Amino acid sequence: MNNDLSRIDKLSKYLKFSLGTLIVIGVIMVYSASYMYAKEKFGNSGYFFIKQMMFVLFSLGIAFVVSKTKYKFWLKFALHVNYAACFLLTLTFVPGLKTVIKGANRWLRVGGFTLQPGEFVKYTIVLVSIVFFEKFQEFDRNKKINYLVCMGLPFVLLILQPDFGTFSICFFAMSFVCFLSSFPRKYFYSAFVAGIIVGGAVLISAPYRVKRLLAFLNPWENAQGSGFQIIQSWIGFANGGFFGTGPGNSIEKLFYLPEAHNDFIFSVIGEEFGFVGVMAMVLLFLSVIFFGFSLAMKVKLRDGSLLMAAVIFVVGIQSALNMGVVLGLLPTKGLNLPFISYGGSSLMSNLFGIGLFFAVLRSYRDKDSTPSFNTSTNSKSPTTSSFQNLRNQA
């Protein structure tokens, strides 16, 4: 047991180091990618840098507080937390509160800051999914309906905004939790296929999404329109070569590449630090995924292990989608790079998720928690990890 805890401590330190490195790189790159734009628009080259520093400090505070809570509290009130996030999503349609950017109602104006509620839904949907799928066979009909409504509501609101990027992440996160849970396999596969069909229908139902898809397939067809952003991103990577142009020497960020400090900051990294910098970023995110999943497998709390794995999955899938978009491997979506891109909502939500991750870890270490769920008939012990049961469940 002591050896197990020692291993957990070591993995935890590695994970914290990887996350801390990403956050520090993010602050530096936000300044590098935005200082010219900030100088031109606000007369202060450090405008976005200062705000990002404030976001980092506030978000780290959130992570610290959440990590000191009992993770079972969040699972117990998962419905309430998710409905609260849905309420915030609903406010994005209210005149006077909503902020419309590029035709999408994704933001709320709060004082001098904007809040994107969809960022938080990625984690509230995980909390609800864990409870629903793990206790599915115990719930009566009314409870099942209540949870299904609570889980379906965010998807409806995200499509109405519209925010297909967050919609996709929520769908994959829910599917991931379902796959690792005790939810009956015969229902899972049919529901997953149905979800893919519905998602595909939603994708082609809006002309702007079809336009983005076509631009992804052949951006040169409309190089000054829908294909402009991805072409400029490619130029940035091409300029970077193997070792890059050097810190602060990106050309694309000088009003060529839209969203240089936000969704397409990975392109600026590629230009300034080249292939070496790109691979370093990929390895950092892979280390977060590896250490995160390794810890989730070692924590023998079924619901806690699921929560830890789901948090890391959300970070991993969003990172992969953002990099895929910036490299031109996927259609353009409004997704930022976790811990790197500018934005307070993204930092707060992702560090909230990391806080949940370490709340589970603390509970396991302190022995103040026992597994909430024990629905697996193949498990000999209530503390068997979700990953260890996966082979039997499949």
Side-chain angles (χ1 to χ4, degrees):
M1 183 64 180
N2 289 333
N3 289 336
D4 193 35
L5 290 177
S6 176
R7 178 63 175 165
I8 287 175
D9 285 340
K10 186 177 294 186
L11 289 171
S12 178
K13 290 177 181 177
Y14 291 155
L15 177 60
K16 289 177 181 178
F17 176 79
S18 297
L19 289 169
T21 303
L22 283 174
I23 292 171
V24 171
I25 291 174
V27 172
I28 294 171
M29 289 310 304
V30 163
Y31 177 71
S32 177
S34 68
Y35 71 87
M36 287 299 294
Y37 175 70
K39 180 72 173 177
E40 178 73 17
K41 186 170 183 179
F42 301 102
N44 178 10
S45 60
Y47 178 81
F48 292 107
F49 170 76
I50 294 171
K51 291 186 71 173
Q52 188 74 353
M53 283 296 297
M54 293 171 59
F55 294 149
V56 167
L57 294 175
F58 184 72
S59 301
L60 287 174
I62 291 176
F64 177 78
V65 171
V66 173
S67 70
K68 298 301 181 182
T69 63
K70 292 182 182 295
Y71 77 93
K72 288 184 181 179
F73 165 84
W74 299 99
L75 293 175
K76 180 179 180 180
F77 293 99
L79 279 176
H80 303 78
V81 174
N82 194 57
Y83 275 130
C86 290
F87 174 72
L88 292 177
L89 279 176
T90 305
L91 293 180
T92 61
F93 300 96
V94 178
L97 293 177
K98 68 179 182 181
T99 298
V100 181
I101 301 177
K102 297 181 180 179
N105 306 338
R106 301 177 188 174
W107 297 268
L108 291 174
R109 175 67 63 177
V110 182
F113 299 93
T114 55
L115 180 70
Q116 189 175 355
E119 289 287 341
F120 298 92
V121 172
K122 296 179 298 186
Y123 294 103
T124 63
I125 201 75
V126 161
L127 292 170
V128 177
S129 299
I130 290 173
V131 180
F132 177 74
F133 292 126
E134 276 294 289
K135 304 197 74 173
F136 177 80
Q137 298 181 23
E138 300 176 21
F139 283 161
D140 58 26
R141 183 171 176 271
N142 290 334
K143 273 195 173 182
K144 288 178 181 177
I145 293 174
N146 189 15
Y147 272 85
L148 285 172
V149 170
C150 185
M151 294 163 66
L153 184 57
F155 290 97
V156 175
L157 294 171
L158 288 170
I159 287 302
L160 292 177
Q161 282 190 334
D163 188 354
F164 191 72
T166 304
F167 177 97
S168 301
I169 291 178
C170 289
F171 172 74
F172 287 122
M174 181 186 295
S175 302
F176 179 79
V177 171
C178 183
F179 183 66
L180 290 184
S181 72
S182 301
F183 190 71
R185 300 292 101 179
K186 60 180 179 180
Y187 297 144
F188 167 75
Y189 294 115
S190 57
F192 184 75
V193 172
I196 292 293
I197 294 173
V198 171
V202 170
L203 175 63
I204 64 175
S205 65
Y208 86 93
R209 284 194 286 267
V210 176
K211 187 177 181 181
R212 281 187 174 184
L213 180 61
L214 295 176
F216 151 72
L217 296 174
N218 185 16
W220 301 101
E221 186 174 340
N222 188 7
Q224 295 300 317
S226 56
F228 180 79
Q229 197 169 27
I230 188 61
I231 291 173
Q232 294 301 317
S233 179
W234 284 343
I235 292 173
F237 285 111
N239 289 341
F242 195 81
F243 292 107
T245 59
N249 293 329
S250 168
I251 301 299
E252 284 301 307
K253 70 186 179 187
L254 303 179
F255 310 104
Y256 292 102
L257 178 65
E259 305 291 341
H261 60 292
N262 200 337
D263 295 353
F264 277 73
I265 197 169
F266 191 54
S267 181
V268 178
I269 293 173
E271 185 174 7
E272 295 188 352
F273 297 95
F275 177 77
V276 173
V278 168
M279 289 308 300
M281 288 299 303
V282 171
L283 289 174
L284 271 173
F285 277 105
L286 286 176
S287 69
V288 169
I289 295 169
F290 174 77
F291 296 134
F293 280 146
S294 297
L295 284 166
M297 293 176 67
K298 287 191 171 295
V299 170
K300 296 177 176 62
L301 300 170
R302 183 166 181 78
D303 51 350
S305 179
L306 270 174
L307 179 54
M308 293 172 74
V311 167
I312 297 301
F313 177 82
V314 169
V315 172
I317 192 68
Q318 182 163 338
S319 304
L321 289 175
N322 176 271
M323 292 179 182
V325 167
V326 174
L327 289 168
L329 303 176
L330 295 171
T332 304
K333 300 180 184 69
L335 291 173
N336 53 44
L337 188 59
F339 310 113
I340 304 295
S341 295
Y342 171 79
S345 298
S346 175
L347 266 175
M348 284 189 286
S349 66
N350 286 316
L351 284 172
F352 168 75
I354 295 300
L356 291 174
F357 182 97
F358 282 102
V360 178
L361 201 59
R362 184 187 60 80
S363 293
Y364 178 65
R365 284 189 51 82
D366 295 348
K367 307 296 182 184
D368 61 356
S369 179
T370 56
S372 298
F373 309 130
N374 183 26
T375 58
S376 174
T377 56
N378 297 320
S379 177
K380 295 181 180 181
S381 168
T383 59
T384 302
S385 169
S386 303
F387 293 97
Q388 294 170 335
N389 283 329
L390 183 56
R391 183 180 297 175
N392 292 332
Q393 294 174 8

